[in-house]
């Protein structure tokens, strides 16, 4: 199964960014936007996560983070070693292998997916939230740049 996305607005984004004398802190801005946009996805995944009557709380372990477990980080570095400009945010349970057994199943029990259905349910809304968050951050940076330019022009004139 493949997912296709249509991304729009990059020409407008480029035009707005060109107005900045000094680039906005892009990575920090992108991380804030990604974290804010991903929180509702994590909530949906928590709601869909199977409940274990014996006590393990899979739902509570689902988080939005820039961190991976050591094993995940090692595999991720191998896959994306040359991509230094990337800004990433991860949504999912902690490093407990039981979570992945729940999502994908194993020889002892069938899959009880919760992350993929959450993504399927929320992907369009997540992208809309991300767009809104990024635009808001860019507008703040532009407002600051315009104020700075106005102060400099009045100080010189």
């Amino acid at each position: 199964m493949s997912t296709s996305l249509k991304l729009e607005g990059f020409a407008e984004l480029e035009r707005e960014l060109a107005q900045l004398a000094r680039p906005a802190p892009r990575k920090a801005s992108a991380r804030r936007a990604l974290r804010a946009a991903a929180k509702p996805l994590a909530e949906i995944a928590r709601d869909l996560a199977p409940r274990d009557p014996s006590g393990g709380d899979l739902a509570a372990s689902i988080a939005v983070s820039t961190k991976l477990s050591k094993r995940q980080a090692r595999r991720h570095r191998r896959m994306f070693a040359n991509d230094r400009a990337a800004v990433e945010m991860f949504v999912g349970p902690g490093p407990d292998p039981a979570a992945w057994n729940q999502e994908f199943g194993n020889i002892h029990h069938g899959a009880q997916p919760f992350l993929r259905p959450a993504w399927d349910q929320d992907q369009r809304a997540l992208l809309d939230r991300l767009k809104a968050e990024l635009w808001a951050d860019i507008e703040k940076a532009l407002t600051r740049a315009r104020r700075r330019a106005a102060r400099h022009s009045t100080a010189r004139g």
Side-chain angles (χ1 to χ4, degrees):
M1 178 180 174
S2 68
T3 301
S4 59
L5 302 170
K6 182 179 179 185
L7 301 174
E8 299 173 336
F10 285 101
E12 294 87 352
L13 174 62
E14 207 170 311
R15 237 186 346 267
E16 294 294 319
L17 288 174
Q19 293 182 34
L20 297 174
R22 161 178 73 133
R26 290 184 186 121
K27 282 192 174 189
S29 175
R31 275 190 204 101
R32 279 191 303 272
L34 283 167
R35 185 177 304 278
K39 282 182 179 180
L41 173 64
E43 283 298 321
I44 294 169
R46 284 184 202 109
D47 289 343
L48 296 175
R51 305 291 183 224
D52 183 3
S54 64
D57 198 0
L58 173 61
S61 74
I62 296 171
V64 177
S65 177
T66 58
K67 306 276 189 238
L68 293 171
S69 70
K70 287 182 182 181
R71 179 175 179 266
Q72 291 168 330
R74 189 173 48 252
R75 298 179 117 210
H76 185 64
R77 271 193 305 275
R78 267 190 248 140
M79 290 172 45
F80 299 101
N82 298 327
D83 195 0
R84 298 281 181 231
V87 177
E88 300 169 322
M89 193 64 58
F90 305 99
V91 177
D96 183 5
W100 305 112
N101 287 329
Q102 288 294 144
E103 179 76 16
F104 301 110
N106 61 33
I107 61 172
H108 302 291
H109 73 81
Q112 294 177 298
F114 56 96
L115 285 171
R116 180 58 192 234
W119 169 252
D120 290 343
Q121 179 181 334
D122 193 49
Q123 65 182 331
R124 297 225 183 270
L126 182 140
L127 292 172
D128 289 341
R129 289 189 303 270
L130 181 58
K131 175 183 167 183
E133 292 286 336
L134 287 172
W135 273 116
D137 218 339
I138 290 167
E139 286 173 349
K140 286 179 192 175
L142 285 170
T143 302
R144 285 191 302 270
R146 288 181 186 126
R147 270 191 296 213
R148 195 177 312 115
R151 276 196 312 268
H152 289 315
S153 68
T154 56
R156 292 180 192 186

